[in-house]
Amino acid sequence: MGMRVATFAASDRLLQAALKVQAKQAEATLQQASGQISDNYGGLGNKAGSVVSLQSSVSMSKSYAEAANTASTRVEAMYDAVDSIIDQITSMKGTLSSFSATSSGTDELQVTAEEMLESLASLMNTQLGGRYLFAGSAVDRPPVDLDSLASATSPSSSDTGYYQGDDAVTSVKVSSEQTVSYGFTADNENFEKALRALSLVASGATDSDALTEASGLLDEAISGLATVQTRLSLNASALKTAISDQENYQDFAGDLATSLSGVDVAVVAARMSAYETQLQAAYAAVVPDLRGLTL
């Protein structure tokens, strides 16, 4: 019985070559399905370091954007609280003007001032996510304590004894190089003037001098709080810009990472077609030789 050793060796080489092509075809099939060069960093070769770095920077960028978005939500809540305070003290200003004209309803005016004091204190003690917004860094305690607010007498002087927070400026890091400071504390002079004006009236001082002073303090508070809102708007704009910058970076870095780790589907499809042709040729050559093999 004879054996064609030369034929066997040639067929074996063809078979091994066919198996290699088949392995490449399988890899290309996975690439075409996933759109990625490899399902692990090892398959990316010298591109792996760049892809890892880009993905890491995108994660960090998302953290910055999330922090800026949280701060933006707080600024919006602050703005709304200040807006409500302005509405209330504007209403009180009108009430004082009316009272000056009629000189009646002293008890009712005093009660109104007391109720508004409680309302303003509540607004200055606004919370969001368990944080007191106007307390500086003392976010775990209400910044305004009316029990610590001394009854004002005319002529009055500035008194922030009611304030229980600190003077820390709230800030948020929105990039590796930028930090945005935002917000106000409840000892802001305009908050203090509003509380003092109401305290004057709530204490029962309804003579002409006291009411004139209270009215003047409310005017100053209204004007000053409008400026506070303007600054809060600028804070909001800065945070919005920071969020947009981070989202733009995420798109850029994400696309770049994809370009490094992804494949051109058209190129892969052409490669798969070439592999198919090579396999068909290899099998066409191998099968007849194997059939003719004798031992």
Side-chain angles (χ1 to χ4, degrees):
M1 189 178 342
M3 179 174 64
R4 293 185 293 175
V5 177
T7 299
F8 179 81
S11 297
D12 183 61
R13 285 194 298 273
L14 284 172
L15 183 59
Q16 293 303 315
L19 291 175
K20 289 180 180 180
V21 172
Q22 190 174 47
K24 291 180 180 179
Q25 184 186 48
E27 180 182 22
T29 299
L30 290 175
Q31 290 177 343
Q32 186 179 51
S34 67
Q36 300 295 308
I37 294 175
S38 173
D39 60 358
N40 58 67
Y41 293 120
L44 297 179
N46 58 10
K47 297 180 180 179
S50 297
V51 172
V52 170
S53 178
L54 285 168
Q55 291 176 340
S56 177
S57 69
V58 168
S59 295
M60 181 61 71
S61 175
K62 288 181 178 179
S63 296
Y64 286 135
E66 183 177 353
N69 188 62
T70 297
S72 181
T73 301
R74 292 172 186 162
V75 169
E76 183 178 346
M78 288 179 173
Y79 186 97
D80 290 343
V82 173
D83 201 45
S84 295
I85 291 173
I86 291 175
D87 285 345
Q88 292 194 26
I89 62 178
T90 299
S91 174
M92 188 63 181
K93 177 65 168 54
T95 299
L96 290 180
S97 297
S98 175
F99 179 84
S100 297
T102 62
S103 298
S104 62
T106 301
D107 291 342
E108 182 180 347
L109 180 64
Q110 186 175 352
V111 170
T112 299
E114 290 172 348
E115 292 176 344
M116 193 169 290
L117 263 177
E118 294 287 346
S119 181
L120 260 60
S122 178
L123 287 167
M124 294 178 192
N125 287 335
T126 294
Q127 283 182 285
L128 184 66
R131 296 170 56 100
Y132 288 97
L133 299 181
F134 295 103
S137 65
V139 297
D140 59 344
R141 61 176 181 265
V144 175
D145 178 15
L146 290 182
D147 290 337
S148 300
L149 178 66
S151 295
T153 56
S154 183
S156 65
S157 58
S158 177
D159 180 6
T160 56
Y162 63 86
Y163 184 61
Q164 307 299 305
D166 58 31
D167 59 357
V169 177
T170 307
S171 63
V172 59
K173 196 172 181 63
V174 296
S175 75
S176 60
E177 301 176 347
Q178 182 185 10
T179 297
V180 175
S181 297
Y182 64 93
F184 291 84
T185 51
D187 63 344
N188 177 275
E189 63 174 344
N190 300 295
F191 290 162
E192 187 277 330
K193 287 176 182 178
L195 293 176
R196 181 156 39 110
L198 293 174
S199 178
L200 272 170
V201 181
S203 66
T206 55
D207 58 90
S208 178
D209 289 342
L211 292 180
T212 297
E213 181 180 1
S215 182
L217 286 171
L218 290 177
D219 277 336
E220 292 176 16
I222 291 169
S223 177
L225 289 174
T227 300
V228 166
Q229 282 192 310
T230 297
R231 290 181 61 183
L232 286 171
S233 294
L234 293 174
N235 292 159
S237 179
L239 291 167
K240 182 179 179 180
T241 298
I243 293 169
S244 178
D245 288 345
Q246 291 298 344
E247 290 176 344
N248 289 337
Y249 174 76
Q250 289 162 30
D251 290 340
F252 165 76
D255 288 345
L256 183 55
T258 298
S259 69
L260 291 174
S261 62
V263 295
D264 186 323
V265 177
V267 171
V268 173
R271 195 185 307 154
M272 289 180 63
S273 178
Y275 290 153
E276 181 66 27
T277 300
Q278 292 175 41
L279 281 174
Q280 290 177 354
Y283 287 144
V286 170
V287 172
D289 281 348
L290 290 178
R291 285 176 178 174
L293 180 63
T294 59
L295 298 176

